Amino acid sequence: MNEIIKHKLALLPDLPGCYLMKNHQGTVIYVGKAKVLKNRVRSYFTGSHDGKTARLVSEIEDFEYIITSSDLEALILELNLIKKHDPKYNIMLKDDKTYPYLKITNERYPRLITTRKVKRDKAKYFGPYPNAYAANETKKLLDRIYPLRKCVSMPKRVCLYYHLGQCLAPCEKDVSVAQMDEVVAQITHFLNGGVDDVKAELEQKMLAAAETLAFERAKELRDQITHIDTIMQKQKMITRDKANRDIFGYAVDKGWMCVQVFFVRQGKLIERDVSIFPIYREPEEEFLTFVGRFYEQPEHFKPTEILLPKGTDSELLMQLLQSKVTVPQRAQKKELVDLAIKNARVALDEKFKIIERQEERTVGACDELGAAMNIYSPLHIEAFDNSHMHGADAVSAMVVFIDGKPDRKAYRKFKLRDTASHDDYGAMREVLRRRYKRVLQDELPLPDLIVVDGGKGQMTIAKEVLEDELGLSIPIAGLAKDDKHQTAELLYGEPPERIALKRTSDGFYLLQRIQDEVHRFAITFLRQQREKQVIQSVLDQIEGVGPKRKQQLLAHFGSIKKIKTADVAALQAAGMPEKLATTIHAFFRQ
């Protein structure tokens, strides 16, 4: 513990608020809330901790805090600060699954569609559904019953759906806003639990049709009622009141938390969400934050009621979420919460060994590298490589590894502007200058380690750019390859020396992954650039083929090779006038 932290700990107040933990670069790495700041923050620096919290504490070089007037204010502020700083230790490790939803579009003449993307576009969303089949079958049913527009774009004349009574035909008919709103309201009522009301209405219409001897219509209505029963019975009934609920349960072990959320819609358990993530506070505090963040995600809608396990501050969450929040004490609701908790324990037991091994191969590998190089554990690594085609068309690429795993959203490609294609050192100088000028300009987080593909020459260039030109002090390492083009050794220091790492170690494996990944990324970019040039150089030589025609041809055929082998008729089918099609065909024959 450094002197700054010791001094600040002595001044902490006995008040609620939020605290922000920072690393040696001043980057916020963790945000938390506390009812009593003094007790909570001091707890990080006293006593022993498990591996997760010990890692967090080992990175803390400074902290700051913000006092609030209540625990609710602290929770709201915590959620806002997490959203603003995106701290690495506040991450939630979630399943990759996306759920199907039914959506009534926000248009003048709305449509009912199935979607897996939930946007804040003022449309109405219903779900999630257990699978795409359930969502599509429910949509088909609603399409038969309610006459919403079916066409993506408005046709010029009425279609078959109008004649089947499944569309109001706004393309030709004068359909008022009130009529549209009424249909949307009926669908909303159905999807929010009004299934029995719709069935009763259909049964009345069926009996009325039978009395007037309209047997075809009566049979159609009977089939719709049967279809409703079939779809609704496919999902397990678990409550009698047919309400929409989210049921939360969690389990904790070895510094990890698993949260299971059961989605109950219209009284039926239709889907679940599983999240597993490390925790650094009391489980109850971490769970409160999780629930608050859960409903910030656009795909999660607040239902009629939220059920939570015993020990949760339901009053606080009720104020935050502005929804009915309950901690059930008995009967069926408590059984559902207990079931969610049981599932969370099972999921955590199943996944913990896998997570533990992944941690060794990723963050553990970073620790191993840091120890071997005598630097801070390089949890944020940026690696660079240059690539060219026989000295021409040079490009550069950068990959980013966070906690030993690739962060592909942060990868960057560079077209060289000021450097000759064959000048490898010049390319490295230009790319590093451009990258870290932008980092400083946009106040982006600096890496813990920069890796250049090459030896002492590339490392010297990197040091000149970073230290002499930009005034940055970031560890720089070189990766040299053997005659089989495989990772051979790690170079570091002044002058650069070989760092001893066992070839079977996780640290060496991480270096191999980084070097292979940056090389792959650079080569892929180079090929993309070459393909563009080939397409431009060939098609641009044909008189009458401009940018639009070129795009049209490539969209239709998919490649230059197929355009070359196409006859005049095929070229005309791609939208080329007869004369131009003949010209293109003749060009490639020559």
Side-chain angles (χ1 to χ4, degrees):
M1 190 192 312
N2 61 41
E3 290 301 318
I4 295 174
I5 290 177
K6 284 182 181 177
H7 180 67
K8 286 188 171 182
L9 288 176
L11 301 174
L12 283 165
D14 293 315
L15 295 168
C18 287
Y19 52 91
L20 300 88
M21 302 300 194
K22 299 180 178 182
N23 66 6
H24 64 284
Q25 294 181 353
T27 303
V28 176
I29 57 174
Y30 186 70
V31 171
K33 64 166 275 294
K35 292 181 181 178
V36 180
L37 280 167
K38 180 170 72 175
N39 296 344
R40 166 61 59 208
V41 178
R42 283 182 177 178
S43 70
Y44 287 96
F45 303 97
T46 56
S48 60
H49 302 289
D50 59 42
K52 288 286 173 191
T53 308
R55 171 171 296 284
L56 167 63
V57 174
S58 71
E59 287 191 50
I60 299 172
E61 292 292 317
D62 194 7
F63 70 86
E64 61 180 89
Y65 57 88
I66 302 169
I67 296 169
T68 60
S69 57
S70 68
D71 201 26
L72 174 63
E73 275 188 21
L75 180 56
I76 294 170
L77 178 60
E78 180 194 28
L79 297 175
N80 290 334
L81 290 171
I82 290 171
K83 198 183 299 183
K84 177 182 176 182
H85 294 287
D86 191 22
K88 58 181 287 188
Y89 284 107
N90 287 102
I91 192 168
M92 290 196 298
L93 305 181
K94 294 182 59 61
D95 281 350
D96 294 331
K97 68 168 73 173
T98 57
Y99 310 112
Y101 290 84
L102 287 177
K103 173 182 178 180
I104 302 176
T105 60
N106 179 33
E107 300 173 270
R108 170 65 179 85
Y109 302 109
R111 294 173 294 133
L112 178 67
I113 62 174
T114 56
T115 181
R116 288 180 183 270
K117 290 184 178 179
V118 178
K119 304 176 182 176
R120 301 191 187 278
D121 54 4
K122 298 184 179 179
K124 291 179 181 289
Y125 291 88
F126 305 89
Y129 286 82
N131 52 54
Y133 177 79
N136 287 326
E137 286 299 302
T138 306
K139 179 186 179 299
K140 285 179 188 176
L141 170 66
L142 294 171
D143 282 341
R144 293 178 191 173
I145 301 174
Y146 300 108
L148 275 190
R149 174 166 72 95
K150 309 294 188 295
C151 307
V152 177
S153 56
M154 295 284 275
K156 294 180 180 178
R157 60 180 67 88
V158 294
C159 61
L160 180 62
Y161 290 114
Y162 171 72
H163 297 294
L164 292 172
Q166 296 179 16
C167 181
L168 295 174
C171 51
E172 277 198 10
K173 309 294 181 182
D174 184 18
V175 181
S176 67
V177 174
Q179 284 177 285
M180 283 283 99
D181 288 346
E182 176 61 24
V183 176
V184 169
Q186 289 172 348
I187 295 175
T188 301
H189 178 60
F190 179 99
L191 293 171
N192 281 335
V195 178
D196 289 342
D197 294 341
V198 174
K199 279 179 61 181
E201 185 181 338
L202 290 174
E203 284 168 357
Q204 286 180 358
K205 289 180 179 179
M206 179 182 70
L207 293 172
E211 286 176 6
T212 59
L213 306 181
F215 297 118
E216 287 292 326
R217 176 60 177 159
K219 180 179 179 297
E220 188 180 306
L221 291 164
R222 185 199 66 191
D223 291 345
Q224 288 181 357
I225 294 167
T226 304
H227 202 54
I228 289 175
D229 289 335
T230 303
I231 289 172
M232 293 300 131
Q233 286 170 9
K234 285 180 182 176
Q235 300 176 35
K236 181 185 174 186
M237 177 70 76
I238 59 169
T239 60
R240 300 183 189 88
D241 57 5
K242 300 185 180 179
N244 292 343
R245 291 189 177 92
D246 285 352
I247 300 160
F248 286 80
Y250 70 85
V252 177
D253 188 22
K254 299 177 184 175
W256 289 83
M257 174 178 281
C258 175
V259 181
Q260 291 252 349
V261 188
F262 290 158
F263 299 121
V264 176
R265 299 296 180 264
Q266 300 177 35
K268 300 169 183 67
L269 175 59
I270 61 170
E271 189 55 273
R272 70 170 180 172
D273 180 277
V274 184
S275 300
I276 299 179
F277 51 94
I279 61 172
Y280 307 97
R281 296 176 287 177
E282 293 301 316
E284 294 78 10
E285 293 286 335
E286 293 282 7
F287 180 67
L288 274 178
T289 302
F290 175 89
V291 177
R293 295 181 69 190
F294 188 80
Y295 289 108
E296 287 183 345
Q297 299 171 54
E299 66 268 24
H300 295 146
F301 310 119
K302 284 180 279 188
T304 309
E305 186 178 25
I306 299 168
L307 303 184
L308 301 173
K310 186 179 178 181
T312 308
D313 191 338
S314 58
E315 291 293 326
L316 187 63
L317 283 173
M318 196 179 300
Q319 294 177 64
L320 174 71
L321 301 174
Q322 297 295 298
S323 288
K324 183 180 179 183
V325 180
T326 308
V327 178
Q329 303 298 319
R330 60 184 181 276
Q332 190 182 25
K333 289 183 181 179
K334 184 177 184 301
E335 289 174 8
L336 290 171
V337 173
D338 291 342
L339 183 63
I341 294 170
K342 184 177 179 181
N343 275 271
R345 286 200 192 101
V346 171
L348 194 57
D349 288 343
E350 284 179 355
K351 293 190 178 182
F352 191 77
K353 288 182 180 177
I354 299 171
I355 291 169
E356 205 170 36
R357 179 57 185 148
Q358 286 175 340
E359 195 80 357
E360 289 174 8
R361 296 294 298 270
T362 54
V363 176
C366 295
D367 290 342
E368 191 178 320
L369 279 181
M373 299 169 69
N374 196 25
I375 60 172
Y376 280 103
S377 182
L379 299 172
H380 178 170
I381 300 173
E382 296 186 357
F384 296 83
D385 191 16
N386 303 322
S387 190
H388 57 79
M389 192 72 72
H390 306 298
D393 306 316
V395 297
S396 290
M398 179 194 81
V399 300
V400 179
F401 275 61
I402 302 293
D403 293 341
K405 291 171 283 190
D407 181 8
R408 292 185 173 86
K409 290 181 181 177
Y411 287 14
R412 294 292 180 267
K413 304 169 182 174
F414 300 90
K415 290 181 184 177
L416 297 179
R417 300 170 185 165
D418 311 317
T419 308
S421 296
H422 59 278
D423 185 358
D424 197 45
Y425 288 167
M428 183 65 68
R429 189 184 301 277
E430 178 184 335
V431 169
L432 289 171
R433 184 184 294 124
R434 284 166 56 186
R435 166 62 181 169
Y436 294 106
K437 272 189 176 179
R438 173 57 64 89
V439 167
L440 292 172
Q441 178 184 322
D442 295 347
E443 298 182 349
L444 301 175
L446 291 166
D448 301 313
L449 175 66
I450 294 171
V451 175
V452 294
D453 191 75
K456 297 179 181 179
Q458 284 84 352
M459 291 176 66
T460 301
I461 295 297
K463 285 180 182 292
E464 288 175 1
V465 173
L466 292 165
E467 296 177 6
D468 300 343
E469 293 186 32
L470 302 177
L472 294 174
S473 179
I474 302 171
I476 299 165
L479 277 180
K481 293 182 179 178
D482 58 22
D483 53 2
K484 294 180 181 177
H485 209 67
Q486 293 179 336
T487 304
E489 58 183 12
L490 172 69
L491 301 174
Y492 179 69
E494 190 61 54
E497 293 181 357
R498 182 178 178 275
I499 302 297
L501 277 174
K502 288 184 180 178
R503 286 182 172 271
T504 56
S505 68
D506 289 332
F508 193 81
Y509 173 71
L510 175 59
L511 291 175
Q512 284 181 316
R513 283 189 67 203
I514 291 171
Q515 192 166 39
D516 290 346
E517 180 69 354
V518 71
H519 183 67
R520 178 202 64 79
F521 191 53
I523 288 291
T524 302
F525 181 41
L526 177 64
R527 286 174 181 159
Q528 290 170 348
Q529 294 301 109
R530 290 289 294 170
E531 284 171 10
K532 284 181 184 178
Q533 289 177 14
V534 169
I535 291 168
Q536 290 170 352
S537 61
V538 174
L539 293 181
D540 289 349
Q541 294 174 36
I542 306 173
E543 188 177 348
V545 178
K548 270 192 176 179
R549 297 288 192 200
K550 186 165 59 177
Q551 189 176 9
Q552 204 172 347
L553 285 166
L554 289 169
H556 183 83
F557 289 103
S559 70
I560 291 289
K561 186 178 180 180
K562 289 183 179 178
I563 298 172
K564 284 180 179 180
T565 57
D567 58 21
V568 173
L571 291 165
Q572 283 184 272
M576 300 298 110
E578 184 180 356
K579 186 178 178 182
L580 181 57
T582 305
T583 302
I584 296 169
H585 183 261
F587 175 85
F588 286 118
R589 297 288 74 71
Q590 294 168 9

